[in-house]
Amino acid sequence: MNRLSVFLLLALGFGACKKDQPTEPQTPIEFRKPAHFPEPVYDLPARNPVNSEVFVLGRRLFFDPILSLDGSISCGDCHQQAAAFAHPEHPLSHGIHDQFGTRNSPALFNLAWQPHFFWDGGVHDLDLFAISPIENPVEMGEKLPNVLEKLRRHAEYPGVFAKAYGDTAVTTERFLKSLSQFMLLMVSDNSPYDRHLTGDAAALTDTEKAGLEIFRAKCASCHTEPLLTDFSFRNNGFPSGIDFGRERITLNPDDKYKFKVPSLRNVAKSAPYMHNGRIATLEAVLDHYATTVKDGPTLDPLLRQNGSLGIPLSDDEKAKLLAFLNALTDEEFLNDERFR
Amino acid sequence: MKKFALLFGAALSLVVVSCHKHDDEKDWADGDLGTLEMEFDSRFGDDDFALGTEYTTAHGETVKISKLQYFISNIVLHNEDGTEYVIPQNDSYFLIKEDKAGSNLLKISNIPAGNYDHVEFTVGVDSLRNTMDVSQRTGALDVGGDAAGMYWSWNSGYIFFKIEGESPSAPFDSTLNGNFWWYHIGGFGGMTSKTINNIRTLELELPQEAGHDHGTAIEIRKDGDPHLHLFTDVSKIFGGTTAVKIAENPIVMFAPYSVEISKNFADVFKIDHIHQ
């Protein structure tokens, strides 16, 4: 190999590395609280000061299959930006050796406002979240100490850690918090619905506005505005089989079949739906609430009113609701180059 | 050499004992600081304990134990004069692993000089630390280091006490080709919803019978080197307050029955003696 080709290879190597690209994405690496959102629960300035090098480290880790046992799966495989960081086409996601999990990969955004994680709320701190998919035998199948050891021996990672944190030490805290920082900066706040809330009278069509009114009357008690979830755990009458949901965490029979209310932001992009991904379309989700809610001891009382199950919805109301749900798509977020 | 050490030790303790008789006389100055070593010595009833050795429980079940590890935290030394010394929280987390030499020797320093006659500690990790930022989870609490395997990532919280092994009383597992049992005891009470709490805080007194070279208090002195010898009697996991039978409960992890097992921690740990 001659000198020139070595030089070219080196240049290619650096070119492929995002941190060294001269054209960093134009949106600054910063956390901003949207004016119409409440205060976040994760205190970034105190716990995880935003720094573009930490963000870049977290991004690299998020998309790096080195986190998995056999180098085949990254976080980004089951959390894809075009689907608001959910897993399109996959009711359940597959991990190493094509093993399937038991729950639908949730969309990722506005995590700084989430008080707990997973469909059952088993993890209360985003910083502690990543350990679970890394160590789940049917997801990444690795052990956290082993991941850290692979990073310590890696040709580039110690340098990336040094850029982010001042020295090359690859610690549990740095690893977990850089991943968190990347995810915490995923703020989705610029859908037509948001622009409507912040005063743009032309942001929503008349049909979408009518859908918003139906939504406020029939859905918003759980999918609370503006985050479009109240983060509570509820049994929505969707058959769950042997997955007992929140009961696994609290061991309280009153929590059987309860799952976290998901945010509806970007919902048109994050199919399939429900904790087990068993519903493929939004139309079918509305049909479930209108006609197939299954009764049970822990069914949410809001789905059993005046002696009847579910939420009464006419075809006209469903059409307007669908229009509104489609107005929750935040194209700016789905195309934000910082998250690639 | 050994004989000499024994003689020397006996002579030293005679001195200590004789000092101790003069209740009014303090042989230390206010402000003196000393150290203490606490040794957790695993036993199975009257026998010494070793991984892989066969033992019989109080219920006649034979067991071979392959893993034994547990957290000891939040140590408090109670002085004869009624005061107490709380080990600074950040220095008060220890993870004892039967297969890791030295992990059962807890070294505590900067203890105010005085005579301490009972010891308090938690088996497990307190609820506050279970909810703290990852920056406060270093050393024994590092989930990417020493504490790996002692943490439930799907249900955030430390496993306080982990014991695993084989027994003919456990059901046959065709995948693993053996009869295995697992007790992973944890649960700090829940973050937002109340659930099982297996945090057990014990107060252990020093044996008060007149010991030859053993005192009845931990005598912390500026130049002292006291060594507190505790027994971790593994047999009591099965035969303590709760009668734990492997045939009935071969797998206990995050489940209500774990609370019955953790009741036995009070029987598992005791102070055997002190070397001053």
Side-chain angles (χ1 to χ4, degrees):
Chain A
M1 198 185 287
N2 62 35
R3 259 186 205 183
L4 180 64
S5 58
V6 169
F7 171 75
L8 280 174
L9 271 176
L10 275 173
L12 274 171
F14 282 121
C17 184
K18 280 178 173 169
K19 68 183 162 62
D20 287 310
Q21 278 180 347
T23 49
E24 265 295 327
Q26 291 178 349
T27 318
I29 304 298
E30 63 179 15
F31 179 82
R32 49 187 177 78
K33 185 190 90 66
H36 60 298
F37 278 21
E39 285 301 318
V41 296
Y42 191 113
D43 184 354
L44 273 118
R47 296 182 56 196
N48 200 344
V50 176
N51 166 329
S52 61
E53 299 295 347
V54 172
F55 176 88
V56 164
L57 168 59
R59 175 171 64 195
R60 184 163 173 175
L61 292 169
F62 187 88
F63 290 109
D64 196 335
I66 196 172
L67 270 56
S68 64
L69 178 66
D70 58 3
S72 64
I73 305 275
S74 77
C75 306
D77 286 338
C78 301
H79 296 286
Q80 300 178 8
Q81 187 178 22
F85 294 99
H87 200 182
E89 308 291 324
H90 284 73
L92 306 173
S93 297
H94 46 92
I96 60 166
H97 311 314
D98 284 330
Q99 303 173 94
F100 277 88
T102 58
R103 292 187 184 151
N104 182 11
S105 297
L108 306 181
F109 50 77
N110 301 344
L111 299 177
W113 285 268
Q114 276 207 37
H116 35 226
F117 302 86
F118 282 128
W119 284 99
D120 57 24
V123 174
H124 54 74
D125 181 348
L126 183 63
D127 293 340
L128 297 167
F129 180 85
I131 311 165
S132 190
I134 288 170
E135 300 205 341
N136 188 330
V138 301
E139 294 185 53
M140 291 172 165
E142 251 293 13
K143 295 288 176 203
L144 181 57
N146 203 40
V147 172
L148 299 180
E149 205 48 44
K150 285 192 282 187
L151 296 175
R152 287 176 190 127
R153 291 192 198 136
H154 191 271
E156 294 166 15
Y157 269 111
V160 186
F161 273 77
K163 271 194 155 182
Y165 290 109
D167 64 68
T168 58
V170 176
T171 66
T172 306
E173 181 188 1
R174 290 174 174 183
F175 171 80
L176 293 173
K177 285 198 170 171
S178 60
L179 268 172
S180 286
Q181 184 165 127
F182 174 63
M183 293 184 276
L184 287 161
L185 264 58
M186 293 176 176
V187 177
S188 179
D189 68 331
N190 196 17
S191 66
Y193 160 73
D194 291 291
R195 295 196 290 276
H196 171 80
L197 288 184
T198 51
D200 178 354
L204 294 181
T205 65
D206 287 347
T207 310
E208 289 161 355
K209 281 179 191 162
L212 172 58
E213 289 318 307
I214 297 162
F215 176 84
R216 284 177 171 160
K218 301 196 171 186
C219 314
S221 48
C222 304
H223 295 285
T224 317
E225 296 184 77
L227 297 171
L228 304 183
T229 170
D230 65 354
F231 302 109
S232 63
F233 303 94
R234 298 170 189 261
N235 175 352
N236 70 349
F238 188 72
S240 181
I242 58 161
D243 187 341
F244 296 160
R246 178 75 174 159
E247 188 193 19
R248 188 169 83 128
I249 301 304
T250 63
L251 303 175
N252 180 351
D254 294 343
D255 288 334
K256 195 169 193 171
Y257 301 130
K258 290 184 182 175
F259 295 90
K260 190 176 62 193
V261 174
S263 171
L264 298 182
R265 291 175 166 275
N266 301 298
V267 72
K269 298 290 182 181
S270 58
Y273 305 109
M274 303 302 176
H275 67 276
N276 55 8
R278 291 288 293 277
I279 300 188
T281 65
L282 286 175
E283 289 84 345
V285 171
L286 295 183
D287 287 343
H288 163 71
Y289 284 113
T291 56
T292 62
V293 166
K294 188 170 161 269
D295 203 359
T298 62
L299 180 71
D300 200 87
L302 292 170
L303 294 173
R304 193 198 295 117
Q305 299 207 73
N306 307 318
S308 61
L309 293 175
I311 304 168
L313 289 172
S314 68
D315 286 348
D316 179 58
E317 286 175 318
K318 285 183 194 170
K320 286 170 176 158
L321 269 177
L322 275 177
F324 169 68
L325 293 174
N326 276 282
L328 297 174
T329 300
D330 177 354
E331 291 293 344
E332 186 190 13
F333 172 68
L334 299 176
N335 294 291
D336 190 330
E337 292 185 352
R338 295 176 302 164
F339 302 118
R340 289 179 188 164
Chain B
M1 185 62 193
K2 203 175 176 186
K3 261 189 190 164
F4 172 75
L6 270 175
L7 272 172
F8 182 72
L12 198 69
S13 51
L14 273 173
V15 173
V16 170
V17 168
S18 57
C19 288
H20 204 74
K21 282 175 183 161
H22 306 286
D23 285 343
D24 313 336
E25 285 180 31
K26 272 169 57 174
D27 60 348
W28 70 90
D30 289 339
D32 282 359
L33 298 173
T35 62
L36 170 66
E37 184 173 70
M38 293 170 68
E39 176 184 357
F40 285 77
D41 184 5
S42 304
R43 317 277 298 174
F44 200 98
D46 293 333
D47 299 326
D48 198 11
F49 175 82
L51 294 174
T53 303
E54 192 168 282
Y55 300 102
T56 304
T57 73
H59 318 296
E61 297 181 312
T62 57
V63 292
K64 261 192 227 171
I65 291 155
S66 55
K67 182 165 281 184
L68 172 66
Q69 42 199 41
Y70 50 92
F71 281 103
I72 297 294
S73 70
N74 293 286
I75 300 168
V76 180
L77 302 177
H78 291 268
N79 197 301
E80 285 178 342
D81 67 10
T83 61
E84 60 181 39
Y85 176 67
V86 180
I87 313 302
Q89 243 241 336
N90 284 338
D91 304 327
S92 196
Y93 293 91
F94 299 91
L95 177 53
I96 296 173
K97 299 179 175 178
E98 186 64 26
D99 62 356
K100 187 178 167 192
S103 66
N104 65 327
L105 296 173
L106 282 47
K107 294 182 172 66
I108 298 159
S109 49
N110 297 318
I111 307 166
N115 295 332
Y116 296 85
D117 62 5
H118 64 286
V119 177
E120 181 183 331
F121 58 82
T122 294
V123 183
V125 176
D126 53 286
S127 59
L128 191 61
R129 189 67 57 154
N130 265 290
T131 61
M132 274 189 186
D133 186 271
V134 65
S135 61
Q136 307 298 310
R137 298 163 183 258
T138 53
L141 296 167
D142 184 352
V143 293
D146 203 27
M150 291 296 278
Y151 182 76
W152 283 315
S153 60
W154 55 276
N155 185 6
S156 299
Y158 288 94
I159 297 170
F160 302 155
F161 193 105
K162 190 178 210 178
I163 182 168
E164 304 174 351
E166 289 183 73
S167 169
S169 302
F172 182 74
D173 184 319
S174 56
T175 314
L176 300 170
N177 193 32
N179 302 66
F180 296 95
W181 53 273
W182 292 269
Y183 295 160
H184 296 180
I185 312 300
F188 64 88
M191 180 72 181
T192 47
S193 302
K194 196 173 183 307
T195 183
I196 56 171
N197 187 334
N198 278 314
I199 298 168
R200 300 282 178 185
T201 297
L202 310 180
E203 273 196 48
L204 303 183
E205 293 192 2
L206 269 78
Q208 293 301 301
E209 70 270 23
H212 26 289
D213 65 335
H214 307 144
T216 55
I218 306 167
E219 296 168 4
I220 302 292
R221 302 291 182 271
K222 192 170 60 182
D223 303 314
D225 188 21
H227 178 100
L228 186 69
H229 200 119
L230 297 101
F231 281 174
T232 302
D233 183 354
V234 181
S235 76
K236 293 292 199 299
I237 281 290
F238 308 97
T241 307
T242 306
V244 175
K245 295 175 185 167
I246 290 168
E248 290 170 8
N249 290 286
I251 301 175
V252 182
M253 297 186 182
F254 189 70
Y257 189 70
S258 66
V259 178
E260 300 305 314
I261 296 181
S262 73
K263 283 178 186 164
N264 287 350
F265 293 167
D267 305 303
V268 167
F269 297 96
K270 72 167 191 179
I271 294 173
D272 188 66
H273 61 268
I274 173 92
H275 300 283
Q276 304 294 356

